[in-house]
Amino acid sequence: MTAPEADLTGWIAEPFTGGGFTHDVYRKGQGPGVVLIPEIPGLHPGVLGLGNHLVDNGFTVAIPSLFGRPGKAITPGYALTTIARACVTREFAAFATDKQRPVTQFLRALARDLNEKTPGKGVGVIGQCFTGGFALAAAVDDAVLAPVLSQPSVPIPLTLSRRRDPGLSEVELGVVADRAANDGLCALGLRFSEDKMAPGDRFQTLKARLGDAFEVIEIDSSPGNPHGLSRMAHSVLTDQVREVDGHPAYEARKRVVQFLTERLN
């Protein structure tokens, strides 16, 4: 059994400008809004499969194409080329600590736009891998009620300070923490236990600041784990999902849908 995948059928792309940047945004569905930020190398078939799953569960989904070629399947060369380009792009500031990343201004504008055009109390934002932490940074904006951080990998965790960095600036984290304490904001974080690209130190930093408002799902990928997951397992919501009850990535995806439903309806 393989992970769910899909193509671009039914998705409508239009350029969107916000925060000084313009990217094509692919939209589909009806219901409360969810901004689904692709992982490296871009809007690949696994991300589209996740997008279709969210649409099938009653959400309007907007996927910004920040890098890569929409619909193109993952290959090792494609992934390496894309991450190399993304790492040197000012918009993402992949190595900087305590950083307000320029791309988050675009994502907040997109979240506000989606909120205005969809029913519900606000919108969700899902970030994955390279974009995982962008979801929490987007929650500086009041339109975002349900940020989901799946295997957040920026800043690239090459040093202890980068492993501990929450992926957004202290100013932004302060705003999010205040919303969590006073406005009921909640966030959901997902990672595999042995994933070095999405270090546990990062979640510990966020848990210390957000407390019970930060729900963590950590899936056992240690040697000998009961589901035979590789210690290299990384993408919780896309390539590791097997649609079998009890599979931990499948159950995590169920929890994401439940979380979004609870927060936005």
Side-chain angles (χ1 to χ4, degrees):
M1 182 176 290
T2 59
E5 294 186 343
D7 58 24
L8 290 165
T9 300
W11 293 89
I12 298 173
E14 291 182 347
F16 179 81
T17 299
F21 298 95
T22 299
H23 295 286
D24 282 344
V25 175
Y26 289 73
R27 300 183 190 238
K28 191 178 187 180
Q30 295 181 332
V34 176
V35 176
L36 174 59
I37 319 171
E39 60 194 353
I40 295 291
L43 216 172
H44 63 76
V47 172
L48 289 164
L50 175 58
N52 281 351
H53 181 72
L54 294 170
V55 169
D56 291 343
N57 277 274
F59 298 102
T60 301
V61 180
I63 311 179
S65 181
L66 302 180
F67 37 68
R69 194 176 81 198
K72 183 176 180 177
I74 299 175
T75 64
Y78 176 39
L80 286 172
T81 300
T82 304
I83 196 168
R85 289 174 179 165
C87 281
V88 298
T89 301
R90 183 185 67 84
E91 190 175 1
F92 306 126
F95 295 97
T97 57
D98 188 16
K99 177 68 174 177
Q100 295 192 43
R101 291 173 167 79
V103 69
T104 59
Q105 299 291 336
F106 172 86
L107 294 171
R108 289 170 197 153
L110 178 59
R112 289 191 297 271
D113 179 74
L114 187 61
N115 187 39
E116 292 170 359
K117 296 176 179 177
T118 54
K121 299 181 292 185
V123 300
V125 181
I126 301 174
Q128 308 170 84
C129 176
F130 193 86
T131 68
F134 301 170
L136 192 61
V140 166
D141 196 286
D142 290 343
V144 178
L145 296 185
V148 178
L149 298 72
S150 192
Q151 74 273 359
S153 305
V154 169
I156 306 297
L158 299 179
T159 63
L160 180 59
S161 64
R162 291 191 176 102
R163 290 196 298 271
R164 290 175 173 170
D165 189 273
L168 64 169
S169 70
E170 175 58 33
V171 171
E172 291 169 314
L173 184 55
V175 173
V176 171
D178 182 72
R179 290 192 66 201
N182 298 307
D183 300 333
L185 178 73
C186 293
L188 178 60
L190 316 166
R191 68 178 295 269
F192 289 101
S193 64
E194 307 307 301
D195 187 358
K196 305 303 182 187
M197 284 300 294
D201 292 337
R202 183 162 295 152
F203 276 15
Q204 289 174 15
T205 296
L206 291 170
K207 190 70 175 176
R209 293 297 297 276
L210 302 180
D212 290 341
F214 185 48
E215 177 185 344
V216 174
I217 296 176
E218 185 173 87
I219 298 172
D220 182 10
S221 59
S222 62
N225 70 81
H227 291 276
L229 295 165
S230 168
R231 64 180 181 178
M232 302 300 290
H234 178 64
S235 296
V236 178
L237 298 176
T238 55
D239 75 288
Q240 292 299 316
V241 170
R242 301 295 181 268
E243 292 182 319
V244 177
D245 285 338
H247 187 279
Y250 183 53
E251 296 300 325
R253 193 185 69 174
K254 287 183 186 178
R255 175 56 189 145
V256 168
V257 171
Q258 182 186 42
F259 175 73
L260 294 169
T261 302
E262 292 169 350
R263 304 299 300 172
L264 304 182
N265 285 321

